Amino acid sequence: WSSMRFAALILVGTLSLSAGNSVNQWTYNNGYQVTEGTLAACDVNTDQFPDKVAPLFAKYTITYKNTYKIVENTVLKKKYVLYQRGCSRPAEANGQDVDGVFQIPLSRVYMSSSTYFGFMELMGERSSMRIINGLYSSSPCLNRQVSDGWTKNAPFTSWCPGLNGYCDWKDTDNNATTPNVQVANAELNNLEIQGSFCTDGLVCKNPIMVSDISENNFYAAGEWIEFFSVFFNREAVVSKFSDKTRQRWVASSQFAMSISNKKRILFVSYWKVGYPAYGTYKGWEVKTCDPSTSYSRYCELVKAAGGIAVNDDTSALEGSKPSAYGKGYQAIEDSKLIEFAKTVDAIVLESSFCATPGYDCIAEYVSFFNNLTGIAAVDNKMVFDFGRKADPSGGTDWLAGGQLQPDALLLDVIKSVYPANLPKHEFVFMRNLYDSVKSGSLDCANIPTQLGCPMTSQKLTEQCTDPSVTVKLANEDLVFSLASSASFISLFTALACAMSLLMALKE
């Protein structure tokens, strides 16, 4: 990251000039109940949205008017008009270039991706999620919402324009592999979903298209929480969170960049099963960080952590099968990977094949560690993954959690390669995979309480004793090693003062 981009991160904040935006009020004394944030009287000459947000790098824009907002997804060229409940629909909503009009705050939404669950929890709108496309979450209270029947888990249900409603595919010709009839799902249709946060390629009711996957760094991807906030008038809580995240990211990265002994870091994937029909093959995959692809966010993360991104140049792997998605190579032979990665200081497995509940993969990991002898990172037991926390399906929380808290993800990467410089930080998403194999903590079949083993949905549900509680974050105070240089300490002090001044001006 350049000094100019750091300066932008520090100096651009969010402003709140008067009483806050009108938000939903959720209560849980007698089930799930909401009083929508509706104005009793609407003064068109008064700013109804004193709390505002403005993205720095994410690919969308927000324009505030007195009684409505204009939000544009600049990736997919989608434009939305959002007007305050209790106010009249603005003339702007009738424009030919408008793709969706919404009364806000929303209170009944569909969520197409688990990546965004944390966004909703943090801003206090978990209960607005009435339909989700799969319960891939370790959140106790979201699991409870599904158990209570408030949130419907519908991963195999589609929005069917022909029926103008949600529907399920049914098999009527005794051929279970080819369901042939769409049947309306009355239970979901009765929820009267107001808007659907939808990813490209899906068909949704009242779609609000989200393009976080297009961002080429984790910080920009994390800024999409502000995109979500404007649909719920939750800019106030999100702006404070974003300011803190911004300060921690900048301070952490500047600290890491001050470390002179730069470490070489390689991100890899290992696929235990191939699907040649879809162009994917079993074995190792190394993707290339190219600015034209979202995978460049991994190189940005490594560089922000003060490391050298080996994925920047994968030309030495030419001859292997090209990656089916993005740029890079797959089905890489062990010998070729050893030659390519022999001087790498740390390896990070982007995807772990150990996530399946009840699957004991220790033997398989031991086998490939033995086969990769000769790589410095393997020989020195510097192999990591993001499997520290798993959801009941066996998936890991890191992608969604890392997008919500890119600052914590960055600290994890710094800690992995510079542990002596960050002694008090505890891993949030990462774990030393080699140590986990040695300790047997990957044996989820026999020791389900070990690190990285998924907890059952029932156990998670039992942990939610107060549905009003928002997501628990890992935003501890920054504590760096006293080995930090004097110049860095001076810089960090200046950054802290600048942010303190900005926050004071906002109060």
Side-chain angles (χ1 to χ4, degrees), residues 465-488:
T465 57
D466 181 1
S468 67
V469 172
T470 58
V471 64
K472 182 179 180 181
L473 299 174
N475 269 356
E476 78 279 10
D477 292 334
L478 294 174
V479 181
F480 299 119
S481 169
L482 293 178
S484 307
S485 66
S487 60
F488 170 75

Side-chain angles (χ1 to χ4, degrees), residues 188-200:
L188 299 187
N189 290 325
N190 288 338
L191 294 177
E192 299 182 344
I193 294 299
Q194 300 162 334
S196 301
F197 289 96
C198 198
T199 51
D200 195 19

Side-chain angles (χ1 to χ4, degrees), residues 2-81:
S2 67
S3 298
M4 184 175 296
R5 293 178 79 183
F6 273 119
L9 278 171
I10 298 166
L11 295 177
V12 177
T14 51
L15 296 177
S16 177
L17 303 177
S18 61
N21 300 353
S22 299
V23 299
N24 297 324
Q25 301 296 325
W26 289 93
T27 57
Y28 305 95
N29 295 328
N30 186 24
Y32 298 80
Q33 298 179 331
V34 62
T35 301
E36 292 180 324
T38 305
L39 294 178
C42 179
D43 182 354
V44 297
N45 296 314
T46 298
D47 183 2
Q48 304 297 342
F49 311 113
D51 299 313
K52 297 175 172 61
V53 290
L56 291 173
F57 303 115
K59 299 181 180 72
Y60 63 88
T61 62
I62 306 168
T63 303
Y64 287 91
K65 303 296 184 179
N66 278 355
T67 62
Y68 65 98
K69 312 169 189 177
I70 302 171
V71 182
E72 297 187 61
N73 178 325
T74 57
V75 177
L76 298 177
K77 310 300 182 186
K78 298 294 184 181
K79 179 179 179 179
Y80 309 107
V81 174

Side-chain angles (χ1 to χ4, degrees), residues 197-467:
F197 289 96
C198 198
T199 51
D200 195 19
L202 295 180
V203 178
C204 301
K205 177 184 181 181
N206 301 333
I208 302 165
M209 303 307 296
V210 186
S211 297
D212 59 300
I213 192 64
S214 70
E215 304 296 352
N216 59 15
N217 65 74
F218 280 98
Y219 185 84
E223 282 190 337
W224 281 81
I225 189 175
E226 297 181 355
F227 177 89
F228 280 76
S229 74
V230 300
F231 288 85
F232 300 90
N233 285 345
R234 293 287 186 175
E235 288 94 331
V237 62
V238 166
S239 70
K240 291 179 181 179
F241 173 73
S242 296
D243 286 342
K244 188 170 185 179
T245 299
R246 183 181 300 118
Q247 180 184 10
R248 285 166 53 85
W249 175 283
V250 173
S252 300
S253 185
Q254 288 285 44
F255 163 72
M257 289 180 179
S258 72
I259 301 173
S260 58
N261 182 24
K262 301 301 181 186
K263 301 294 185 180
R264 293 168 52 81
I265 305 172
L266 172 66
F267 273 81
V268 301
S269 293
Y270 181 82
W271 306 105
K272 60 177 297 190
V273 178
Y275 299 95
Y278 297 95
T280 62
Y281 296 85
K282 179 180 178 179
W284 295 104
E285 181 176 29
V286 176
K287 286 192 175 180
T288 308
C289 288
D290 184 282
S292 66
T293 70
S294 63
Y295 199 82
S296 62
R297 66 176 63 179
Y298 293 95
C299 286
E300 285 277 351
L301 181 63
V302 169
K303 293 170 185 176
I308 298 170
V310 179
N311 295 73
D312 262 340
D313 182 6
T314 60
S315 58
L317 294 171
E318 289 182 2
S320 300
K321 291 183 181 294
S323 294
Y325 305 99
K327 299 183 179 181
Y329 300 93
Q330 60 175 325
I332 301 168
E333 297 176 357
D334 287 348
S335 59
K336 198 163 190 175
L337 183 65
I338 291 171
E339 180 62 27
F340 175 72
K342 62 184 177 183
T343 61
V344 167
D345 296 296
I347 290 176
V348 181
L349 264 72
E350 177 196 349
S351 60
S352 169
F353 61 77
C354 255
T356 307
Y359 172 62
D360 178 4
C361 54
I362 293 179
E364 194 161 356
Y365 268 125
V366 169
S367 175
F368 84 57
F369 280 141
N370 290 339
N371 292 338
L372 295 181
T373 299
I375 297 178
V378 175
D379 296 342
N380 295 327
K381 304 174 184 177
M382 292 288 286
V383 182
F384 300 85
D385 75 348
F386 294 104
R388 193 170 193 83
K389 192 174 184 181
D391 64 47
S393 72
T396 56
D397 276 0
W398 85 271
L399 193 55
Q403 188 157 309
L404 177 65
Q405 291 187 270
D407 53 331
L409 181 62
L410 176 60
L411 282 169
D412 271 11
V413 177
I414 297 172
K415 172 82 171 185
S416 69
V417 290
Y418 306 116
N421 298 88
L422 213 62
K424 295 188 178 182
H425 173 72
E426 295 185 3
F427 283 125
V428 179
F429 307 108
M430 296 180 73
R431 62 180 174 178
N432 187 306
L433 185 58
Y434 204 110
D435 285 346
S436 295
V437 168
K438 282 185 62 180
S439 67
S441 64
L442 296 180
D443 187 2
C444 295
N446 299 311
I447 317 174
T449 59
Q450 290 280 16
L451 179 69
C453 293
M455 186 178 294
T456 66
S457 183
Q458 179 181 347
K459 290 292 186 182
L460 285 169
T461 298
E462 291 170 358
Q463 291 183 0
C464 179
T465 57
D466 181 1

Side-chain angles (χ1 to χ4, degrees), residues 78-106:
K78 298 294 184 181
K79 179 179 179 179
Y80 309 107
V81 174
L82 290 54
Y83 67 100
Q84 173 61 48
R85 291 187 180 278
C87 296
S88 299
R89 177 185 171 112
E92 180 86 25
N94 301 321
Q96 294 296 315
D97 60 341
V98 174
D99 297 284
V101 181
F102 301 90
Q103 279 189 296
I104 58 172
L106 301 178

